[in-house]
Amino acid sequence: MKRGYIKTEAIVLRSTDYSESDRILTLFTRTNGKLSAIAKGAKKSKRRFVGRLDVVTCVEAMLFKSRSMELARLDEARLIDGYTELKGDMERLGYASYMVELADEFTPPGEPNEAMFEHLKGFLHMLRGAVSTESAARFFEVRLLDIAGLMPHLTGCVSCRKDTVEERMCFVMVRGGLLCRGCMGQGIEGIGLSAGTIKTLVMAARLPAGKLHVLSAGEVFKKEARKMLSECIKYHLGKVPRCMRFIDMVNAI
């Protein structure tokens, strides 16, 4: 982060109480990437910060950073979007929190990444009116992997390099993509994917976000894509995202 004052759009990824009156924040900024900041007096000031420092909130942030400061200082936060519609719906809030968590996990600190910022902001907006929150989450995951440079090979077999998609193929994470029936050997475990699911995932990564509603995402896609993308994310993070457990709990109610 450059020194001095900056004004930038930011999404609150994490917010933690610190001391009697302060809060420590992890902000995903449009111009400076992910950074940590302290909001002095945030727990007492009703004028400067009230309702603006919660997770899943978009603000215009005024920040200050000097060489001697470990954290940036958040001096002001003007609310841009509080996503109140999402926070009033347990399921949508769960998926919104999940998207925020993934953006946090897949974004290294201090590296500007406007593409990832726009991706997160766009999908939080999309969740408001999504007919299927689960489909929106699958599209979010696949596009996040693509932006992060971690998109698996889904346009053919990674072994024989045949560039056609069969009616049924097997996804093997440790191989980085799909295997055709001819290349599946004994002892190889993978996730079965239909041609329809594979093609929908590829299109989801390529289409502009505003066009995703044209994709067909039925129950087969939701089941197969969830299993495959969960495996990808767990592999790259080395863990199951915390908010995914929350979503599973809400869906089980």
Side-chain angles (χ1 to χ4, degrees):
M1 177 179 173
K2 66 181 182 180
R3 310 301 175 181
Y5 281 102
I6 66 164
K7 181 185 288 187
T8 181
E9 193 174 354
I11 296 172
V12 181
L13 303 179
R14 280 178 276 160
S15 181
T16 306
D17 288 344
Y18 180 75
S19 75
E20 293 185 1
S21 60
D22 305 337
R23 294 180 88 172
I24 300 291
L25 307 165
T26 299
L27 302 174
F28 190 6
T29 71
R30 179 186 292 279
T31 56
N32 293 75
K34 187 172 72 173
L35 56 87
S36 297
I38 185 167
K40 293 282 190 180
K43 294 164 66 177
K44 294 182 178 180
S45 174
K46 294 183 179 181
R47 182 179 62 85
R48 289 192 303 152
F49 298 124
V50 65
R52 303 169 199 174
L53 301 184
D54 297 329
V55 176
V56 192
T57 299
C58 184
V59 299
E60 181 182 69
M62 177 63 76
L63 297 152
F64 178 78
K65 184 76 164 67
S66 71
R67 292 185 182 276
S68 62
M69 297 167 63
E70 182 178 352
L71 302 174
R73 187 184 72 221
L74 180 65
D75 288 341
E76 187 178 346
R78 183 182 66 82
L79 185 66
I80 295 175
D81 199 331
Y83 301 105
T84 54
E85 303 94 332
L86 302 181
K87 293 172 182 177
D89 182 312
M90 187 73 74
E91 181 185 13
R92 291 179 195 273
L93 176 59
Y95 279 111
S97 301
Y98 175 63
M99 291 176 182
V100 163
E101 181 183 2
L102 289 190
D104 187 8
E105 292 283 2
F106 280 91
T107 305
E111 296 182 12
N113 192 338
E114 190 168 357
M116 187 70 82
F117 179 88
E118 284 292 344
H119 174 61
L120 175 59
K121 184 180 177 184
F123 268 83
L124 289 176
H125 178 75
M126 184 185 299
L127 267 181
R128 286 185 165 109
V131 175
S132 170
T133 52
E134 185 177 354
S135 295
R138 302 295 80 85
F139 295 155
F140 176 86
E141 290 166 337
V142 72
R143 293 170 75 87
L144 177 139
L145 290 170
D146 189 46
I147 293 170
L150 300 171
M151 183 71 173
H153 185 75
L154 298 178
T155 54
C157 178
V158 295
S159 182
C160 68
R161 297 298 174 181
K162 187 187 298 182
D163 61 354
T164 56
V165 174
E166 297 178 349
E167 189 61 32
R168 193 84 186 164
M169 299 186 78
C170 189
F171 176 78
V172 183
M173 185 60 239
V174 294
R175 298 293 297 274
L178 301 171
L179 291 178
C180 65
R181 284 174 294 181
C183 293
M184 282 294 296
Q186 290 186 349
I188 297 179
E189 296 185 3
I191 299 168
L193 297 178
S194 64
T197 293
I198 296 167
K199 291 175 182 177
T200 300
L201 288 170
V202 171
M203 290 298 294
R206 293 176 178 174
L207 280 175
K211 300 288 186 181
L212 290 174
H213 65 276
V214 305
L215 295 179
S216 176
E219 292 306 313
V220 172
F221 169 81
K222 292 175 185 177
K223 181 179 178 180
E224 294 180 346
R226 185 185 193 282
K227 192 172 182 181
M228 173 259 183
L229 290 167
S230 294
E231 185 69 17
C232 282
I233 289 165
K234 183 173 69 173
Y235 178 85
H236 289 298
L237 294 183
K239 62 183 179 181
V240 176
R242 176 179 49 83
C243 288
M244 180 52 70
R245 300 190 184 97
F246 174 76
I247 292 169
D248 290 340
M249 180 184 70
V250 170
N251 289 338
I253 297 175

